[in-house]
Amino acid sequence: PLWERLGLPAERWAAILGDAARDDTVLVLDEDGPLGFAWIDPGGAFGRSAYLRMIAVAPARRSAGAGAVLLDAFERLAAARGPDAFLLVTEDNHDARRFYARHGYVVTGRLDDYVRHGATELLLRKRLTPAA
């Protein structure tokens, strides 16, 4: 459904993720086969903070903790980079917004028509360490 919502076929996303693994960090959660992944750009948020480009969990494993495991791994990598973690989420993706809110992410900005025309992306931030 994510691929469809963004208007790209699964084959194109597979190629994009293959390219990502060369330049960024892609974590794969595997338990007798892949359950999900997190695509991370270590300095992608303003050149000083880690940015979670995408997180995806197999539909059968949602609400079973797989997303939390991947998000925690992202945050550990992000904390090594700096005091903050960032990501974008589509405003109407209510399940994802609740997930990120439960994990301490807050909305810090809005981007209209950024990823898709007619959609609003929300910039979320989590402070990983106290400000110095």
Side-chain angles (χ1 to χ4, degrees):
L2 171 64
W3 298 186
E4 292 169 6
R5 188 170 62 241
L6 295 175
L8 291 174
E11 297 79 22
R12 178 68 181 119
W13 275 106
I16 289 169
L17 288 173
D19 291 342
R22 282 193 287 275
D23 299 324
D24 295 332
T25 300
V26 177
L27 304 176
V28 177
L29 184 59
D30 189 308
E31 184 179 284
D32 297 324
L35 302 178
F37 69 88
W39 176 5
I40 301 161
D41 183 341
F46 316 109
R48 61 174 271 145
S49 299
Y51 173 70
L52 181 62
R53 293 188 63 144
M54 184 179 296
I55 190 170
V57 174
R61 292 305 295 257
R62 292 188 185 141
S63 300
V69 168
L70 288 165
L71 190 63
D72 181 64
F74 160 64
E75 290 173 2
R76 281 185 274 121
L77 289 171
R81 173 77 185 191
D84 302 287
F86 288 89
L87 59 95
L88 288 180
V89 65
T90 304
E91 185 175 47
D92 65 3
N93 189 342
H94 301 291
D95 290 340
R97 290 179 61 193
R98 281 190 296 274
F99 171 76
Y100 293 124
R102 280 194 313 272
H103 291 277
Y105 287 80
V106 297
V107 176
T108 60
R110 297 172 50 92
L111 298 166
D112 297 321
D113 300 318
Y114 183 67
V115 174
R116 232 177 350 124
H117 181 72
T120 297
E121 303 301 318
L122 302 175
L123 178 64
L124 304 184
R125 174 187 185 197
K126 180 176 180 179
R127 295 292 289 177
L128 301 171
T129 60

